[in-house]
Amino acid sequence: MKMYRSFAATLVALLMLVTVAGAEERLKMSTTTSTQDSGLLKVLLPPFEKKNNVKVDVIAVGTGQALKLGEAGDVDVVFVHARKLEDKFVADGFGVNRKDVMYNDFVIVGPKNDPAGIAKAKTAAEALKLLATKGATFISRGDKSGTHTKELDLWKSAGVDPKGNWYVEAGQGMGPVITMATERRAYTLTDRGTYNAFKGAKTDLVILFQGEKGLFNPYGIMAVNPKKFPHVKYDLAMKLIDYVTGPEGLKIISDYKAHGEPVFFIYKK
Amino acid sequence: MDFYSESLTTALQLIASRDPDVVSAVTVSIVVSLWSTLFAALAGVPAGVAVAVAEFPGKRAVVTLLNTLMALPTVVVGLFVYSLISRQGPLGEFGLLFTPWAMVVGQTLLAIPIVANLTMSAIKGADPRIVPTALTLGAGPFESIRRLVLEMRFGIMAALIAAFGRVIAEVGVAMMLGGNIRGHTRTMTTAIAMETGKGEFALGLALGLILMAVALIVNMALNALQQR
């Protein structure tokens, strides 16, 4: 009987934990996987959480899904990277007060021996055209993320309809896609931040094309429209936006490094 | 890359240092699974007893249905509950999505058929004379059934252990309804999925080892209870 009682006591104590954890104020933020996977949010959020006695619940998904969560009113803030989709999100009345936060850029990575020879390409469009004509395996996110959206734009400007055995739609996040490209000796488009986190121990793929204006990758943050969804924590969301785009947040972002290299850059004022 | 030795070392280090992320993932996994099993017991045991004891038209169809539901894919349950508790859904106003309670709801739905089915099997396998004997000895129908359930407590406990095992190991519901929020809804399984996605295979395997250890300890505790 004694064992029963101690077991029951432990059970009750454990069950209480969940309830207690719910007492603090919580702000829900949907974001793209790159902000979480790069490790940035781990240093960016705690000072804000401490100052305002709030927990920011980060739901890291692709940009497309992150915006969808905002359109459903399931989150309070959205922090993503796909300018066109963000503008549509705001124009459709789902989001308000969109602000630029930071940027990095996209790069095309592939096997070191570069079988399709894209390293010689002058533009990203030319590089993709080479991949298509040589039929070199290309792994696409295929998940409506910011990176996927950018990739589809690039195919369009290359005048290529990406279809065929060489074009693999993974339907997964950036990390799994880099892993898949590594295993299959394939090419892929990735943001520099995630690639930097993988380079070395996790992938032997190298950057074969970079530095074009069209590969610029800006991040924006916006509040979910309280007129549309009265339940969202708008004031708190604005506090977070002001913090992230204010001097303290921007300093943390520009100081943040992974493997000794900066991951995100802020706009010079 | 030697995943196995590296992950074993990582697992031991994580346990030894009581890594806060691991502690939180283990706690969330256990707490959410216990709640789900508890609710599933409250719904599933009476349902299992009822189906086993009562005779009614369509009983075979109900039994088939319960058997089918045991094979419910976790992502289907996740999707279904998601559509109910998203702000767009009928229960949206409660703001349940991406909270531990959302996971409890989903996992309870997963566990109920298991509890009901195994309870039903246990009762069917019981001595068929228990209820008539109790009735002859002057017990009411309620008391007779209580006797039956008491007699079958090991079988019912086994049903609860199976249900707990199912929910603590699943990832679909936890990921879709919990949202894998660090320190809040991140479980062992969603942490493994995430670390693997980040290419941290050794860390994923390490968490896998810890999950197995947790499952083993919980089952040993329940077994010890059952022996008494």
Side-chain angles (χ1 to χ4, degrees):
Chain A
M1 228 40 217
K2 216 175 167 189
M3 193 172 161
Y4 265 116
R5 212 168 294 160
S6 62
F7 178 76
T10 325
L11 193 69
V12 169
L14 270 174
L15 295 183
M16 298 272 284
L17 274 173
V18 166
T19 333
V20 172
E24 217 165 358
E25 182 146 34
R26 314 195 79 99
L27 187 69
K28 283 182 181 151
M29 176 169 87
S30 63
T31 184
T32 159
T33 46
S34 56
T35 57
Q36 173 168 281
D37 290 357
S38 63
L40 173 70
L41 294 180
K42 256 190 199 173
V43 294
L44 181 61
L45 293 178
F48 172 80
E49 293 179 321
K50 219 169 169 189
K51 219 183 302 171
N52 294 285
N53 191 27
V54 57
K55 271 266 169 281
V56 181
D57 287 342
V58 177
I59 296 125
V61 288
T63 286
Q65 199 190 337
L67 288 165
K68 278 271 181 303
L69 289 173
E71 285 174 23
D74 285 324
V75 291
D76 306 302
V77 193
V78 181
F79 184 14
V80 290
H81 63 122
R83 191 58 203 261
K84 260 198 259 167
L85 298 179
E86 290 166 38
D87 289 342
K88 186 171 183 310
F89 181 75
V90 172
D92 290 348
F94 295 114
V96 286
N97 295 324
R98 184 199 170 279
K99 282 194 177 151
D100 290 324
V101 182
M102 58 195 187
Y103 63 88
N104 62 9
D105 62 341
F106 290 109
V107 295
I108 303 177
V109 299
K112 206 169 180 178
N113 63 352
D114 189 13
I118 66 162
K120 288 172 303 202
K122 300 267 184 320
T123 63
E126 194 185 317
L128 290 188
K129 225 181 264 168
L130 272 170
L131 290 179
T133 42
K134 297 258 162 89
T137 309
F138 182 92
I139 315 274
S140 166
R141 289 279 294 270
D143 63 350
K144 292 201 174 159
S145 59
T147 310
H148 186 217
T149 310
K150 169 57 78 180
E151 182 211 309
L152 294 180
D153 283 351
L154 290 172
W155 286 116
K156 205 176 266 174
S157 59
V160 175
D161 184 18
K163 272 194 186 101
N165 282 337
W166 58 277
Y167 187 72
V168 179
E169 291 181 76
Q172 299 205 53
M174 196 70 254
V177 164
I178 293 179
T179 306
M180 201 183 282
T182 310
E183 296 289 333
R184 302 208 27 192
R185 312 310 302 154
Y187 292 84
T188 192
L189 177 80
T190 164
D191 64 286
R192 190 183 293 270
T194 311
Y195 172 72
N196 278 347
F198 270 69
K199 143 176 110 174
K202 298 177 198 165
T203 182
D204 58 356
L205 301 181
V206 296
I207 295 180
L208 294 168
F209 188 87
Q210 63 179 328
E212 193 197 65
K213 232 189 190 164
L215 295 179
F216 179 64
N217 177 28
Y219 286 73
I221 191 167
M222 62 223 82
V224 173
N225 192 350
K227 291 210 178 91
K228 200 146 201 152
F229 301 107
H231 64 263
V232 296
K233 294 176 178 158
Y234 176 71
D235 293 337
L236 203 53
M238 284 315 295
K239 261 191 197 162
L240 177 67
I241 291 175
D242 288 343
Y243 162 78
V244 169
T245 58
E248 195 184 348
L250 291 180
K251 183 164 175 10
I252 294 177
I253 292 169
S254 59
D255 286 351
Y256 181 69
K257 288 190 169 72
H259 298 279
E261 283 185 55
V263 182
F264 299 107
F265 306 91
I266 60 169
Y267 296 91
K268 296 263 172 346
K269 294 246 162 79
Chain B
M1 271 189 283
D2 192 357
F3 287 146
Y4 302 106
S5 61
E6 197 188 324
S7 60
L8 191 60
T9 328
T10 315
L12 293 175
Q13 276 167 356
L14 288 173
I15 295 171
S17 66
R18 266 171 280 164
D19 181 87
D21 284 343
V22 172
V23 171
S24 142
V26 171
T27 318
V28 172
S29 282
I30 294 181
V31 170
V32 166
S33 303
L34 281 177
W35 273 117
S36 316
T37 313
L38 181 73
F39 288 137
L42 292 177
V45 172
V49 172
V51 176
V53 172
E55 288 301 333
F56 53 90
K59 179 166 166 167
R60 277 182 63 173
V62 171
V63 173
T64 310
L65 181 71
L66 273 179
N67 275 318
T68 312
L69 289 179
M70 258 172 89
L72 263 183
T74 63
V75 284
V76 172
V77 173
L79 189 63
F80 171 68
V81 178
Y82 190 111
S83 68
L84 286 179
I85 65 174
S86 161
R87 291 285 179 179
Q88 297 168 309
L91 303 173
E93 62 196 290
F94 300 109
L96 271 179
L97 191 59
F98 305 136
T99 66
W101 292 111
M103 298 151 79
V104 170
V105 172
Q107 294 193 343
T108 301
L109 289 183
L110 274 181
I112 287 175
I114 296 174
V115 175
N117 245 308
L118 296 183
T119 302
M120 188 176 72
S121 312
I123 301 260
K124 274 194 186 148
D127 191 327
R129 286 166 304 189
I130 295 176
V131 173
T133 308
L135 285 171
T136 332
L137 293 174
F142 180 76
E143 175 63 18
S144 316
I145 286 179
R146 199 180 73 88
R147 288 276 149 200
L148 178 68
V149 170
L150 266 183
E151 205 61 37
M152 287 301 102
R153 63 186 181 278
F154 294 148
I156 290 169
M157 191 59 141
L160 298 187
I161 292 174
F164 181 83
R166 158 89 150 155
V167 294
I168 200 170
E170 72 82 31
V171 64
V173 163
M175 188 62 97
M176 291 168 86
L177 301 179
N180 191 32
I181 297 166
R182 183 173 176 233
H184 187 46
T185 59
R186 183 165 299 164
T187 63
M188 305 292 292
T189 53
T190 60
I192 291 169
M194 182 190 68
E195 293 303 342
T196 308
K198 283 159 70 179
E200 299 283 355
F201 297 106
L203 187 50
L205 271 171
L207 289 168
L209 287 173
I210 298 174
L211 177 60
M212 302 275 291
V214 169
L216 180 68
I217 291 167
V218 170
N219 274 300
M220 274 162 51
L222 290 173
N223 249 317
L225 267 178
Q226 205 174 11
Q227 301 303 318
R228 298 174 65 87

